[in-house]
Amino acid sequence: MKLVFATNNQHKLQEIKQLLNGSFELLCLNDIGCEDDIPETKETLEGNASEKSYFIFNKYGLNCFADDTGLEIKALNGEPGVYSARYAGEDRSAENNMALVLAKLDKIKNRNARFRTVVSLVIDGHETQFEGIVEGQILEEKRGETGFGYDPIFKPNESTRSFAEMSMDEKNKISHRGRAVQKLVEFLMSGKSI
């Protein structure tokens, strides 16, 4: 079965391909010739994921899934949340986003945070959503060289290391996206989606 993952983010693609383990032919937006700026106008992760997957399904007629992920920091009332990618501005700079988070949390003891991913799967026009959450802490400084986004400043509760200090395999086992995609994979493998 062919499935479009509504992204051109190579980091996300690699993570998902590893989780799908060759069970499906995974296509990205480049593969289907989609150069559109896919809308993300909703105020929730659920809304954005749904908007993206339906955009691809409606325009290209291909079964598709899309995700939206947010870092939710307790002391910042859930910020950056749905605005995680562009928290420090429209240039979507991971460095600037991390610097802003660290500055806002300066002198704050409660560093509890969580990553939350919502995946919207649209098959033959019907949507199913899957959620993955990982609880953790915001570190006081960046650690590690792998991963992307906020990975160098996020330490999951299950580990003493940041996401950026883990291999992709290690991160996938406990990450928010890994958990949401695991539910997606189980759903696809169960045949309920066909």
mmCIF file of all heavy atoms in Angstrom, residues 137-184:
data_model
loop_
_atom_site.group_PDB
_atom_site.id
_atom_site.type_symbol
_atom_site.label_atom_id
_atom_site.label_comp_id
_atom_site.label_asym_id
_atom_site.label_seq_id
_atom_site.Cartn_x
_atom_site.Cartn_y
_atom_site.Cartn_z
ATOM 1 N N GLN A 137 11.710 16.886 31.005
ATOM 2 C CA GLN A 137 12.200 18.129 31.602
ATOM 3 C C GLN A 137 12.941 18.948 30.542
ATOM 4 O O GLN A 137 13.564 18.373 29.646
ATOM 5 C CB GLN A 137 13.223 17.823 32.714
ATOM 6 C CG GLN A 137 12.736 16.894 33.799
ATOM 7 C CD GLN A 137 11.783 17.597 34.741
ATOM 8 O OE1 GLN A 137 12.043 18.723 35.153
ATOM 9 N NE2 GLN A 137 10.679 16.951 35.059
ATOM 10 N N ILE A 138 12.907 20.263 30.710
ATOM 11 C CA ILE A 138 13.746 21.137 29.888
ATOM 12 C C ILE A 138 15.069 21.299 30.628
ATOM 13 O O ILE A 138 15.095 21.701 31.799
ATOM 14 C CB ILE A 138 13.088 22.518 29.666
ATOM 15 C CG1 ILE A 138 11.748 22.371 28.939
ATOM 16 C CG2 ILE A 138 14.038 23.439 28.883
ATOM 17 C CD1 ILE A 138 11.826 21.781 27.547
ATOM 18 N N LEU A 139 16.153 20.971 29.956
ATOM 19 C CA LEU A 139 17.487 21.092 30.549
ATOM 20 C C LEU A 139 17.888 22.567 30.644
ATOM 21 O O LEU A 139 17.276 23.434 30.013
ATOM 22 C CB LEU A 139 18.505 20.330 29.688
ATOM 23 C CG LEU A 139 18.247 18.822 29.573
ATOM 24 C CD1 LEU A 139 19.082 18.215 28.456
ATOM 25 C CD2 LEU A 139 18.540 18.133 30.901
ATOM 26 N N GLU A 140 18.928 22.844 31.420
ATOM 27 C CA GLU A 140 19.367 24.235 31.565
ATOM 28 C C GLU A 140 20.286 24.662 30.428
ATOM 29 O O GLU A 140 20.511 25.855 30.211
ATOM 30 C CB GLU A 140 20.018 24.443 32.926
ATOM 31 C CG GLU A 140 18.971 24.290 34.028
ATOM 32 C CD GLU A 140 19.459 24.650 35.406
ATOM 33 O OE1 GLU A 140 20.638 25.041 35.546
ATOM 34 O OE2 GLU A 140 18.648 24.542 36.336
ATOM 35 N N GLU A 141 20.805 23.682 29.693
ATOM 36 C CA GLU A 141 21.633 23.993 28.521
ATOM 37 C C GLU A 141 21.535 22.859 27.519
ATOM 38 O O GLU A 141 21.105 21.760 27.854
ATOM 39 C CB GLU A 141 23.091 24.217 28.935
ATOM 40 C CG GLU A 141 23.688 23.006 29.641
ATOM 41 C CD GLU A 141 25.070 23.300 30.229
ATOM 42 O OE1 GLU A 141 25.400 24.479 30.427
ATOM 43 O OE2 GLU A 141 25.792 22.329 30.467
ATOM 44 N N LYS A 142 21.937 23.145 26.294
ATOM 45 C CA LYS A 142 21.855 22.137 25.230
ATOM 46 C C LYS A 142 22.853 21.013 25.481
ATOM 47 O O LYS A 142 23.960 21.248 25.945
ATOM 48 C CB LYS A 142 22.163 22.778 23.871
ATOM 49 C CG LYS A 142 21.132 23.786 23.444
ATOM 50 C CD LYS A 142 21.333 24.217 22.008
ATOM 51 C CE LYS A 142 22.626 24.996 21.853
ATOM 52 N NZ LYS A 142 22.818 25.485 20.486
ATOM 53 N N ARG A 143 22.395 19.771 25.150
ATOM 54 C CA ARG A 143 23.263 18.594 25.259
ATOM 55 C C ARG A 143 23.014 17.691 24.066
ATOM 56 O O ARG A 143 21.872 17.354 23.779
ATOM 57 C CB ARG A 143 22.974 17.819 26.549
ATOM 58 C CG ARG A 143 23.374 18.572 27.805
ATOM 59 C CD ARG A 143 23.372 17.729 29.077
ATOM 60 N NE ARG A 143 22.648 16.483 29.058
ATOM 61 C CZ ARG A 143 21.945 16.007 30.089
ATOM 62 N NH1 ARG A 143 21.865 16.682 31.216
ATOM 63 N NH2 ARG A 143 21.332 14.844 30.001
ATOM 64 N N GLY A 144 24.092 17.297 23.381
ATOM 65 C CA GLY A 144 23.967 16.332 22.294
ATOM 66 C C GLY A 144 23.978 16.960 20.917
ATOM 67 O O GLY A 144 23.741 18.153 20.759
ATOM 68 N N GLU A 145 24.246 16.105 19.919
ATOM 69 C CA GLU A 145 24.422 16.576 18.538
ATOM 70 C C GLU A 145 23.417 15.984 17.554
ATOM 71 O O GLU A 145 23.357 16.408 16.414
ATOM 72 C CB GLU A 145 25.836 16.208 18.046
ATOM 73 C CG GLU A 145 26.966 16.810 18.867
ATOM 74 C CD GLU A 145 26.972 18.326 18.845
ATOM 75 O OE1 GLU A 145 26.719 18.914 17.765
ATOM 76 O OE2 GLU A 145 27.197 18.938 19.913
ATOM 77 N N THR A 146 22.645 14.971 17.965
ATOM 78 C CA THR A 146 21.718 14.331 17.021
ATOM 79 C C THR A 146 20.336 14.951 17.151
ATOM 80 O O THR A 146 20.136 15.884 17.920
ATOM 81 C CB THR A 146 21.641 12.810 17.266
ATOM 82 O OG1 THR A 146 21.116 12.599 18.578
ATOM 83 C CG2 THR A 146 23.000 12.155 17.136
ATOM 84 N N GLY A 147 19.379 14.421 16.399
ATOM 85 C CA GLY A 147 18.003 14.901 16.496
ATOM 86 C C GLY A 147 17.821 16.242 15.814
ATOM 87 O O GLY A 147 18.642 16.688 15.023
ATOM 88 N N PHE A 148 16.727 16.898 16.150
ATOM 89 C CA PHE A 148 16.400 18.183 15.539
ATOM 90 C C PHE A 148 15.441 18.924 16.453
ATOM 91 O O PHE A 148 14.998 18.405 17.474
ATOM 92 C CB PHE A 148 15.816 17.994 14.132
ATOM 93 C CG PHE A 148 14.518 17.215 14.091
ATOM 94 C CD1 PHE A 148 13.308 17.862 13.947
ATOM 95 C CD2 PHE A 148 14.522 15.834 14.193
ATOM 96 C CE1 PHE A 148 12.121 17.149 13.901
ATOM 97 C CE2 PHE A 148 13.342 15.101 14.138
ATOM 98 C CZ PHE A 148 12.137 15.774 13.994
ATOM 99 N N GLY A 149 15.101 20.155 16.089
ATOM 100 C CA GLY A 149 14.158 20.934 16.888
ATOM 101 C C GLY A 149 14.675 21.175 18.294
ATOM 102 O O GLY A 149 15.799 21.619 18.494
ATOM 103 N N TYR A 150 13.851 20.839 19.270
ATOM 104 C CA TYR A 150 14.175 21.078 20.682
ATOM 105 C C TYR A 150 14.929 19.912 21.328
ATOM 106 O O TYR A 150 15.148 19.914 22.537
ATOM 107 C CB TYR A 150 12.888 21.333 21.479
ATOM 108 C CG TYR A 150 12.143 22.588 21.084
ATOM 109 C CD1 TYR A 150 11.145 22.555 20.111
ATOM 110 C CD2 TYR A 150 12.417 23.806 21.707
ATOM 111 C CE1 TYR A 150 10.449 23.704 19.752
ATOM 112 C CE2 TYR A 150 11.717 24.959 21.350
ATOM 113 C CZ TYR A 150 10.740 24.899 20.379
ATOM 114 O OH TYR A 150 10.059 26.038 20.037
ATOM 115 N N ASP A 151 15.308 18.899 20.558
ATOM 116 C CA ASP A 151 15.929 17.692 21.113
ATOM 117 C C ASP A 151 17.101 17.957 22.068
ATOM 118 O O ASP A 151 17.218 17.276 23.083
ATOM 119 C CB ASP A 151 16.367 16.738 20.003
ATOM 120 C CG ASP A 151 15.186 16.026 19.338
ATOM 121 O OD1 ASP A 151 14.034 16.233 19.779
ATOM 122 O OD2 ASP A 151 15.421 15.265 18.384
ATOM 123 N N PRO A 152 17.988 18.931 21.787
ATOM 124 C CA PRO A 152 19.131 19.136 22.686
ATOM 125 C C PRO A 152 18.767 19.658 24.084
ATOM 126 O O PRO A 152 19.573 19.557 25.002
ATOM 127 C CB PRO A 152 20.000 20.168 21.945
ATOM 128 C CG PRO A 152 19.611 20.030 20.507
ATOM 129 C CD PRO A 152 18.142 19.711 20.538
ATOM 130 N N ILE A 153 17.556 20.216 24.245
ATOM 131 C CA ILE A 153 17.202 20.752 25.577
ATOM 132 C C ILE A 153 16.092 19.947 26.262
ATOM 133 O O ILE A 153 15.637 20.313 27.342
ATOM 134 C CB ILE A 153 16.823 22.254 25.533
ATOM 135 C CG1 ILE A 153 15.585 22.508 24.668
ATOM 136 C CG2 ILE A 153 18.011 23.100 25.081
ATOM 137 C CD1 ILE A 153 15.009 23.918 24.790
ATOM 138 N N PHE A 154 15.665 18.829 25.648
ATOM 139 C CA PHE A 154 14.589 18.027 26.238
ATOM 140 C C PHE A 154 15.133 16.680 26.696
ATOM 141 O O PHE A 154 15.726 15.934 25.914
ATOM 142 C CB PHE A 154 13.460 17.791 25.224
ATOM 143 C CG PHE A 154 12.297 17.026 25.804
ATOM 144 C CD1 PHE A 154 11.298 17.673 26.512
ATOM 145 C CD2 PHE A 154 12.199 15.651 25.641
ATOM 146 C CE1 PHE A 154 10.227 16.969 27.055
ATOM 147 C CE2 PHE A 154 11.134 14.933 26.179
ATOM 148 C CZ PHE A 154 10.147 15.597 26.888
ATOM 149 N N LYS A 155 14.910 16.380 27.981
ATOM 150 C CA LYS A 155 15.311 15.094 28.542
ATOM 151 C C LYS A 155 14.053 14.337 28.959
ATOM 152 O O LYS A 155 13.321 14.780 29.844
ATOM 153 C CB LYS A 155 16.220 15.289 29.764
ATOM 154 C CG LYS A 155 16.721 13.957 30.337
ATOM 155 C CD LYS A 155 17.290 14.117 31.735
ATOM 156 C CE LYS A 155 16.219 14.230 32.791
ATOM 157 N NZ LYS A 155 15.355 13.049 32.956
ATOM 158 N N PRO A 156 13.761 13.203 28.299
ATOM 159 C CA PRO A 156 12.579 12.436 28.692
ATOM 160 C C PRO A 156 12.778 11.824 30.080
ATOM 161 O O PRO A 156 13.906 11.535 30.477
ATOM 162 C CB PRO A 156 12.484 11.350 27.619
ATOM 163 C CG PRO A 156 13.843 11.240 27.036
ATOM 164 C CD PRO A 156 14.501 12.578 27.195
ATOM 165 N N ASN A 157 11.677 11.647 30.798
ATOM 166 C CA ASN A 157 11.754 11.090 32.156
ATOM 167 C C ASN A 157 12.373 9.699 32.195
ATOM 168 O O ASN A 157 12.953 9.309 33.198
ATOM 169 C CB ASN A 157 10.368 11.057 32.806
ATOM 170 C CG ASN A 157 9.880 12.454 33.161
ATOM 171 O OD1 ASN A 157 10.662 13.406 33.220
ATOM 172 N ND2 ASN A 157 8.577 12.587 33.389
ATOM 173 N N GLU A 158 12.267 8.942 31.097
ATOM 174 C CA GLU A 158 12.793 7.573 31.071
ATOM 175 C C GLU A 158 14.302 7.501 30.900
ATOM 176 O O GLU A 158 14.854 6.412 30.813
ATOM 177 C CB GLU A 158 12.183 6.768 29.903
ATOM 178 C CG GLU A 158 10.713 6.518 29.993
ATOM 179 C CD GLU A 158 9.899 7.524 29.184
ATOM 180 O OE1 GLU A 158 10.139 8.737 29.254
ATOM 181 O OE2 GLU A 158 8.971 7.068 28.502
ATOM 182 N N SER A 159 14.957 8.636 30.809
ATOM 183 C CA SER A 159 16.381 8.619 30.485
ATOM 184 C C SER A 159 17.147 9.695 31.249
ATOM 185 O O SER A 159 16.553 10.645 31.764
ATOM 186 C CB SER A 159 16.554 8.847 28.978
ATOM 187 O OG SER A 159 17.923 8.879 28.631
ATOM 188 N N THR A 160 18.464 9.539 31.305
ATOM 189 C CA THR A 160 19.329 10.577 31.887
ATOM 190 C C THR A 160 19.903 11.447 30.774
ATOM 191 O O THR A 160 20.624 12.393 31.033
ATOM 192 C CB THR A 160 20.509 9.934 32.654
ATOM 193 O OG1 THR A 160 21.216 9.080 31.755
ATOM 194 C CG2 THR A 160 20.003 9.136 33.845
ATOM 195 N N ARG A 161 19.591 11.086 29.512
ATOM 196 C CA ARG A 161 20.144 11.812 28.371
ATOM 197 C C ARG A 161 19.067 12.606 27.638
ATOM 198 O O ARG A 161 17.887 12.257 27.675
ATOM 199 C CB ARG A 161 20.782 10.817 27.390
ATOM 200 C CG ARG A 161 21.992 10.110 27.980
ATOM 201 C CD ARG A 161 22.554 9.063 27.055
ATOM 202 N NE ARG A 161 21.582 8.005 26.822
ATOM 203 C CZ ARG A 161 21.549 7.244 25.726
ATOM 204 N NH1 ARG A 161 22.425 7.411 24.772
ATOM 205 N NH2 ARG A 161 20.636 6.303 25.602
ATOM 206 N N SER A 162 19.503 13.666 26.948
ATOM 207 C CA SER A 162 18.580 14.423 26.104
ATOM 208 C C SER A 162 18.279 13.603 24.848
ATOM 209 O O SER A 162 19.024 12.674 24.506
ATOM 210 C CB SER A 162 19.197 15.765 25.696
ATOM 211 O OG SER A 162 20.151 15.572 24.662
ATOM 212 N N PHE A 163 17.208 13.979 24.138
ATOM 213 C CA PHE A 163 16.911 13.314 22.871
ATOM 214 C C PHE A 163 18.088 13.444 21.902
ATOM 215 O O PHE A 163 18.346 12.556 21.098
ATOM 216 C CB PHE A 163 15.653 13.918 22.231
ATOM 217 C CG PHE A 163 14.359 13.256 22.637
ATOM 218 C CD1 PHE A 163 13.152 13.910 22.428
ATOM 219 C CD2 PHE A 163 14.325 11.995 23.199
ATOM 220 C CE1 PHE A 163 11.943 13.313 22.771
ATOM 221 C CE2 PHE A 163 13.123 11.380 23.549
ATOM 222 C CZ PHE A 163 11.935 12.056 23.330
ATOM 223 N N ALA A 164 18.812 14.558 21.964
ATOM 224 C CA ALA A 164 19.927 14.801 21.042
ATOM 225 C C ALA A 164 21.172 13.986 21.391
ATOM 226 O O ALA A 164 22.142 13.979 20.642
ATOM 227 C CB ALA A 164 20.264 16.283 20.994
ATOM 228 N N GLU A 165 21.141 13.294 22.538
ATOM 229 C CA GLU A 165 22.249 12.417 22.919
ATOM 230 C C GLU A 165 21.944 10.953 22.597
ATOM 231 O O GLU A 165 22.730 10.069 22.907
ATOM 232 C CB GLU A 165 22.541 12.562 24.417
ATOM 233 C CG GLU A 165 23.074 13.936 24.787
ATOM 234 C CD GLU A 165 23.247 14.116 26.289
ATOM 235 O OE1 GLU A 165 22.226 14.077 27.018
ATOM 236 O OE2 GLU A 165 24.397 14.288 26.721
ATOM 237 N N MET A 166 20.791 10.702 21.985
ATOM 238 C CA MET A 166 20.361 9.331 21.679
ATOM 239 C C MET A 166 20.504 9.040 20.200
ATOM 240 O O MET A 166 20.437 9.951 19.371
ATOM 241 C CB MET A 166 18.882 9.144 22.050
ATOM 242 C CG MET A 166 18.573 9.342 23.499
ATOM 243 S SD MET A 166 16.784 9.132 23.766
ATOM 244 C CE MET A 166 16.697 9.541 25.507
ATOM 245 N N SER A 167 20.642 7.748 19.870
ATOM 246 C CA SER A 167 20.568 7.344 18.462
ATOM 247 C C SER A 167 19.092 7.437 18.051
ATOM 248 O O SER A 167 18.195 7.481 18.899
ATOM 249 C CB SER A 167 21.058 5.905 18.299
ATOM 250 O OG SER A 167 20.117 5.008 18.860
ATOM 251 N N MET A 168 18.848 7.437 16.744
ATOM 252 C CA MET A 168 17.472 7.499 16.255
ATOM 253 C C MET A 168 16.665 6.312 16.784
ATOM 254 O O MET A 168 15.507 6.449 17.162
ATOM 255 C CB MET A 168 17.451 7.520 14.731
ATOM 256 C CG MET A 168 16.083 7.858 14.173
ATOM 257 S SD MET A 168 15.994 7.745 12.378
ATOM 258 C CE MET A 168 17.018 9.131 11.902
ATOM 259 N N ASP A 169 17.299 5.152 16.830
ATOM 260 C CA ASP A 169 16.655 3.944 17.339
ATOM 261 C C ASP A 169 16.204 4.118 18.785
ATOM 262 O O ASP A 169 15.075 3.774 19.146
ATOM 263 C CB ASP A 169 17.652 2.779 17.267
ATOM 264 C CG ASP A 169 17.083 1.606 16.514
ATOM 265 O OD1 ASP A 169 16.043 1.772 15.857
ATOM 266 O OD2 ASP A 169 17.685 0.519 16.603
ATOM 267 N N GLU A 170 17.111 4.636 19.619
ATOM 268 C CA GLU A 170 16.793 4.837 21.041
ATOM 269 C C GLU A 170 15.671 5.850 21.199
ATOM 270 O O GLU A 170 14.737 5.651 21.971
ATOM 271 C CB GLU A 170 18.034 5.332 21.790
ATOM 272 C CG GLU A 170 19.138 4.298 21.902
ATOM 273 C CD GLU A 170 20.429 4.908 22.444
ATOM 274 O OE1 GLU A 170 20.855 5.976 21.961
ATOM 275 O OE2 GLU A 170 20.994 4.296 23.368
ATOM 276 N N LYS A 171 15.755 6.936 20.453
ATOM 277 C CA LYS A 171 14.726 7.985 20.547
ATOM 278 C C LYS A 171 13.363 7.453 20.099
ATOM 279 O O LYS A 171 12.345 7.707 20.747
ATOM 280 C CB LYS A 171 15.139 9.191 19.701
ATOM 281 C CG LYS A 171 14.127 10.334 19.753
ATOM 282 C CD LYS A 171 14.488 11.468 18.804
ATOM 283 C CE LYS A 171 13.345 12.448 18.707
ATOM 284 N NZ LYS A 171 13.537 13.462 17.669
ATOM 285 N N ASN A 172 13.351 6.712 18.978
ATOM 286 C CA ASN A 172 12.085 6.193 18.443
ATOM 287 C C ASN A 172 11.341 5.312 19.435
ATOM 288 O O ASN A 172 10.118 5.250 19.423
ATOM 289 C CB ASN A 172 12.322 5.404 17.152
ATOM 290 C CG ASN A 172 12.397 6.306 15.936
ATOM 291 O OD1 ASN A 172 11.952 7.451 15.975
ATOM 292 N ND2 ASN A 172 12.969 5.798 14.872
ATOM 293 N N LYS A 173 12.095 4.608 20.285
ATOM 294 C CA LYS A 173 11.460 3.691 21.244
ATOM 295 C C LYS A 173 10.611 4.431 22.276
ATOM 296 O O LYS A 173 9.662 3.889 22.818
ATOM 297 C CB LYS A 173 12.521 2.849 21.941
ATOM 298 C CG LYS A 173 13.098 1.769 21.049
ATOM 299 C CD LYS A 173 13.943 0.781 21.844
ATOM 300 C CE LYS A 173 14.386 -0.365 20.966
ATOM 301 N NZ LYS A 173 15.686 -0.172 20.372
ATOM 302 N N ILE A 174 10.974 5.684 22.573
ATOM 303 C CA ILE A 174 10.253 6.394 23.644
ATOM 304 C C ILE A 174 9.686 7.747 23.219
ATOM 305 O O ILE A 174 9.001 8.390 23.995
ATOM 306 C CB ILE A 174 11.151 6.615 24.879
ATOM 307 C CG1 ILE A 174 12.391 7.429 24.514
ATOM 308 C CG2 ILE A 174 11.513 5.295 25.537
ATOM 309 C CD1 ILE A 174 13.188 7.899 25.717
ATOM 310 N N SER A 175 9.933 8.161 21.982
ATOM 311 C CA SER A 175 9.519 9.514 21.593
ATOM 312 C C SER A 175 8.021 9.622 21.363
ATOM 313 O O SER A 175 7.330 8.640 21.093
ATOM 314 C CB SER A 175 10.261 9.961 20.327
ATOM 315 O OG SER A 175 9.644 9.427 19.168
ATOM 316 N N HIS A 176 7.548 10.839 21.450
ATOM 317 C CA HIS A 176 6.150 11.189 21.185
ATOM 318 C C HIS A 176 5.746 10.756 19.777
ATOM 319 O O HIS A 176 4.712 10.124 19.587
ATOM 320 C CB HIS A 176 5.973 12.694 21.345
ATOM 321 C CG HIS A 176 7.073 13.484 20.679
ATOM 322 N ND1 HIS A 176 8.391 13.421 21.102
ATOM 323 C CD2 HIS A 176 7.086 14.304 19.611
ATOM 324 C CE1 HIS A 176 9.142 14.187 20.336
ATOM 325 N NE2 HIS A 176 8.377 14.728 19.418
ATOM 326 N N ARG A 177 6.573 11.075 18.770
ATOM 327 C CA ARG A 177 6.250 10.692 17.398
ATOM 328 C C ARG A 177 6.297 9.175 17.266
ATOM 329 O O ARG A 177 5.449 8.569 16.627
ATOM 330 C CB ARG A 177 7.213 11.353 16.408
ATOM 331 C CG ARG A 177 6.786 11.146 14.953
ATOM 332 C CD ARG A 177 7.607 11.962 13.971
ATOM 333 N NE ARG A 177 7.397 13.389 14.165
ATOM 334 C CZ ARG A 177 8.281 14.214 14.724
ATOM 335 N NH1 ARG A 177 9.448 13.767 15.120
ATOM 336 N NH2 ARG A 177 8.009 15.489 14.884
ATOM 337 N N GLY A 178 7.302 8.566 17.890
ATOM 338 C CA GLY A 178 7.411 7.108 17.862
ATOM 339 C C GLY A 178 6.162 6.445 18.422
ATOM 340 O O GLY A 178 5.646 5.477 17.866
ATOM 341 N N ARG A 179 5.657 6.992 19.534
ATOM 342 C CA ARG A 179 4.456 6.411 20.167
ATOM 343 C C ARG A 179 3.216 6.596 19.303
ATOM 344 O O ARG A 179 2.391 5.684 19.178
ATOM 345 C CB ARG A 179 4.264 7.026 21.554
ATOM 346 C CG ARG A 179 5.317 6.546 22.529
ATOM 347 C CD ARG A 179 5.283 7.238 23.866
ATOM 348 N NE ARG A 179 6.260 6.591 24.749
ATOM 349 C CZ ARG A 179 6.630 7.054 25.913
ATOM 350 N NH1 ARG A 179 6.116 8.174 26.388
ATOM 351 N NH2 ARG A 179 7.517 6.407 26.645
ATOM 352 N N ALA A 180 3.069 7.776 18.711
ATOM 353 C CA ALA A 180 1.898 8.024 17.848
ATOM 354 C C ALA A 180 1.971 7.154 16.599
ATOM 355 O O ALA A 180 0.975 6.551 16.184
ATOM 356 C CB ALA A 180 1.832 9.504 17.462
ATOM 357 N N VAL A 181 3.165 7.056 16.005
ATOM 358 C CA VAL A 181 3.322 6.270 14.779
ATOM 359 C C VAL A 181 3.180 4.775 15.067
ATOM 360 O O VAL A 181 2.658 4.029 14.244
ATOM 361 C CB VAL A 181 4.656 6.595 14.072
ATOM 362 C CG1 VAL A 181 4.919 5.631 12.925
ATOM 363 C CG2 VAL A 181 4.629 8.022 13.551
ATOM 364 N N GLN A 182 3.595 4.342 16.266
ATOM 365 C CA GLN A 182 3.405 2.938 16.640
ATOM 366 C C GLN A 182 1.913 2.596 16.617
ATOM 367 O O GLN A 182 1.511 1.549 16.108
ATOM 368 C CB GLN A 182 3.989 2.695 18.038
ATOM 369 C CG GLN A 182 4.403 1.264 18.287
ATOM 370 C CD GLN A 182 5.279 0.682 17.187
ATOM 371 O OE1 GLN A 182 6.337 1.191 16.878
ATOM 372 N NE2 GLN A 182 4.827 -0.392 16.570
ATOM 373 N N LYS A 183 1.089 3.512 17.131
ATOM 374 C CA LYS A 183 -0.368 3.299 17.101
ATOM 375 C C LYS A 183 -0.870 3.282 15.656
ATOM 376 O O LYS A 183 -1.731 2.481 15.293
ATOM 377 C CB LYS A 183 -1.082 4.394 17.893
ATOM 378 C CG LYS A 183 -0.805 4.339 19.389
ATOM 379 C CD LYS A 183 -1.455 5.528 20.096
ATOM 380 C CE LYS A 183 -1.100 5.551 21.572
ATOM 381 N NZ LYS A 183 -1.587 6.755 22.243
ATOM 382 N N LEU A 184 -0.333 4.183 14.831
ATOM 383 C CA LEU A 184 -0.685 4.232 13.413
ATOM 384 C C LEU A 184 -0.325 2.914 12.730
ATOM 385 O O LEU A 184 -1.132 2.331 12.001
ATOM 386 C CB LEU A 184 0.057 5.400 12.745
ATOM 387 C CG LEU A 184 0.075 5.437 11.213
ATOM 388 C CD1 LEU A 184 -1.256 5.878 10.654
ATOM 389 C CD2 LEU A 184 1.171 6.362 10.707
#
